[in-house]
Amino acid sequence: MQNVDAAGLGIGDDHPTRIMGVLNVSAESPYDPSVFDDPAEAAAYVEDELVGEGADIVDIGLESANKRFEVLSAEEELDRLDVALSVIENASVDPVWSIETRYHEVAAAALDGGFDMINDIAGFADPEMPRVAEEYGVAAAKMASPPDLTRPGAVEETPWAERKGEDWAEQADYVDMVYEALKQNGLPDDTIVDPAFGGWSEAKTVANDRETFRRLREFRGLGRPMLVSINRKNFLRSLTDRPTEDALAVSLAATSMAIERGAHVIRTHDVRETVDAAAVGDAFMPERHRTHANGVSVEELDVSSEGDVRRHADRLGTADLAATATLAVFDVRGLTEDACEELGGLAADAETTFAMNAAGDGGLLVGTHAALETLVETTPATAGTGAVLDAVASALK
């Protein structure tokens, strides 16, 4: 996992979770508490409500990305940039200033004026954006999007059959599409990936977002730090049937889970509370061991599923070791002693392990997914072991 330097702020596995607070200078933005058109008032909000409450990064949006509104042109965004630059001039604090835009010319003008990083909600649909980021030597957050500047986040609208082939397009699920969308126009070293949570298109469902969140660890396979923007999003608040104003609790619960699954930056409107949730996430995240000595680096990958392993194998161009690298453990009970002995022998033949419990009515069945699949596929079911093999087969699907 590469770390990213955002104007001196380290982002990645070697650093604590970073909090990105949000400020909008777009009157059409839907979240009123973060919307300002007066630079002095906006600067005070940054000082008191964002940086004052723990934000490391302040992300300023020039227009609402809500699909209900017309997309501004680069020229129209540039007309609003003066307000954003005035906020920086009026502020007495010095966070990492991030400009949210989809246009490379707006990003360049913002960086010239004092911004420190780019938050590209169109995922490098503007092919000049990565060049600007590299020329200025800045970090760039890249949200999964189609190659269309007017449709940020609508990854399912990508012409996938043309881009990846008809077979891939037919077999891919939504998370596959998000993953591939993040590769659009490359991943420079200082890129931060964003899986694009939220209602970016009519076709997207809360189930899409929930599956993306369940499989969040897979995006570590891209080898770049990850930003998540889940604050009060519908896929969370619909779990408890809460309106936006009452959705803080679900956002905070998900924040700690996102950090455990590999998120490095949390974008939020609720800075103070999210800082606390991030502290919990940081305290209990799994250790990710990495060493570098004599020119050799060794990193223990954070994987828990075949999908996690497969993403790293794809990135590194290695053989697909997912089934042999992923372990499963089953607690088996209710067998006769004879069935336990039979299962022990079958397990050994398939290079898995069955350890009988003290009661003699079951035990632990342990093996890699590949070995367990061999056990299931090559073993004739008997009255004693059939239920066990059926259960393992179902779990491995």
Side-chain angles (χ1 to χ4, degrees):
M1 172 67 66
Q2 294 187 18
N3 291 300
V4 163
D5 184 318
L9 181 74
I11 298 172
D13 282 354
D14 294 340
H15 306 280
T17 302
R18 305 305 187 180
I19 307 301
M20 174 184 276
V22 181
L23 175 73
N24 292 298
V25 296
S26 52
E28 70 273 13
S29 290
Y31 193 74
D32 289 342
S34 68
V35 179
F36 295 88
D37 57 10
D38 179 86
E41 292 180 359
Y45 179 75
V46 169
E47 293 166 4
D48 299 335
E49 305 296 326
L50 299 182
V51 176
E53 294 192 347
D56 305 289
I57 306 166
V58 172
D59 189 42
I60 301 185
L62 303 175
E63 65 172 302
S64 173
N66 192 303
K67 59 183 178 292
R68 294 177 299 164
F69 299 116
E70 290 294 323
V71 174
L72 297 185
S73 67
E75 291 72 22
E76 289 171 316
E77 280 200 4
L78 286 168
D79 288 341
R80 294 184 177 187
L81 184 59
D82 286 343
V83 177
L85 294 174
S86 294
V87 174
I88 296 178
E89 293 173 1
N90 278 272
S92 61
V93 291
D94 189 27
V96 173
W97 296 98
S98 168
I99 184 67
E100 181 190 282
T101 185
R102 66 193 80 186
Y103 301 112
H104 79 276
E105 52 265 68
V106 177
L111 296 170
D112 285 334
F115 278 86
D116 303 302
M117 69 175 284
I118 302 165
N119 182 16
D120 184 352
I121 61 169
F124 298 172
D126 179 344
E128 293 298 305
M129 188 68 87
R131 176 188 60 78
V132 168
E134 289 183 307
E135 286 185 1
Y136 282 82
V138 299
K142 176 186 186 182
M143 193 178 82
S145 290
D148 182 349
L149 285 167
T150 69
R151 300 295 293 138
V155 296
E156 70 282 354
E157 296 179 8
T158 300
W160 288 115
E162 175 185 324
R163 183 168 168 182
K164 294 285 292 181
E166 290 186 6
D167 289 344
W168 189 95
E170 289 177 2
Q171 297 174 15
D173 60 26
Y174 180 76
V175 177
D176 294 330
M177 295 179 189
V178 173
Y179 196 92
E180 288 299 319
L182 284 167
K183 298 179 181 179
Q184 177 172 247
N185 289 325
L187 289 166
D189 286 346
D190 285 327
T191 303
I192 301 163
V193 297
D194 174 354
F197 289 102
W200 294 100
S201 72
E202 296 296 340
K204 188 178 180 183
T205 67
V206 294
N208 292 147
D209 270 344
R210 290 176 188 170
E211 184 65 12
T212 303
F213 192 84
R214 288 188 190 98
R215 295 166 58 184
L216 200 62
R217 192 176 275 103
E218 287 186 31
F219 294 98
R220 291 179 60 82
L222 292 166
R224 301 294 189 277
M226 187 183 349
L227 179 152
V228 298
S229 181
I230 55 177
N231 187 230
R232 301 177 187 256
K233 292 289 174 71
N234 189 40
F235 83 100
L236 295 174
R237 66 176 189 264
S238 60
L239 291 170
T240 54
D241 195 26
R242 302 287 189 189
T244 301
E245 57 270 22
D246 294 331
L248 178 59
V250 290
S251 296
L252 299 180
T255 292
S256 291
M257 294 175 67
I259 293 168
E260 188 273 337
R261 296 176 187 198
H264 301 92
V265 180
I266 307 294
R267 186 178 184 273
T268 181
H269 294 275
D270 302 300
V271 171
R272 179 175 59 83
E273 297 88 348
T274 302
V275 166
D276 289 350
V280 175
D282 284 342
F284 295 104
M285 77 164 61
E287 290 190 39
R288 295 166 180 143
H289 297 283
R290 181 165 58 178
T291 62
H292 186 84
N294 300 320
V296 176
S297 64
V298 179
E299 179 179 359
E300 180 184 12
L301 297 178
D302 178 15
V303 297
S304 64
S305 72
E306 287 192 35
D308 300 339
V309 179
R310 191 165 288 119
R311 301 298 189 186
H312 288 287
D314 288 346
R315 169 175 59 91
L316 298 171
T318 69
D320 183 357
L321 303 174
T324 59
T326 314
L327 191 71
V329 182
F330 296 92
D331 182 356
V332 179
R333 301 184 193 185
L335 299 181
T336 65
E337 186 171 344
D338 286 345
C340 285
E341 292 178 357
E342 179 186 0
L343 183 57
L346 295 171
D349 290 342
E351 297 185 349
T352 64
T353 300
F354 179 70
M356 192 183 305
N357 61 25
D361 67 347
L364 294 179
L365 176 62
V366 183
T368 66
H369 285 194
L372 289 166
E373 287 171 1
T374 298
L375 172 66
V376 170
E377 292 170 359
T378 62
T379 304
T382 67
T385 62
V388 176
L389 299 178
D390 288 345
V392 172
S394 178
L396 294 176
K397 286 183 180 177

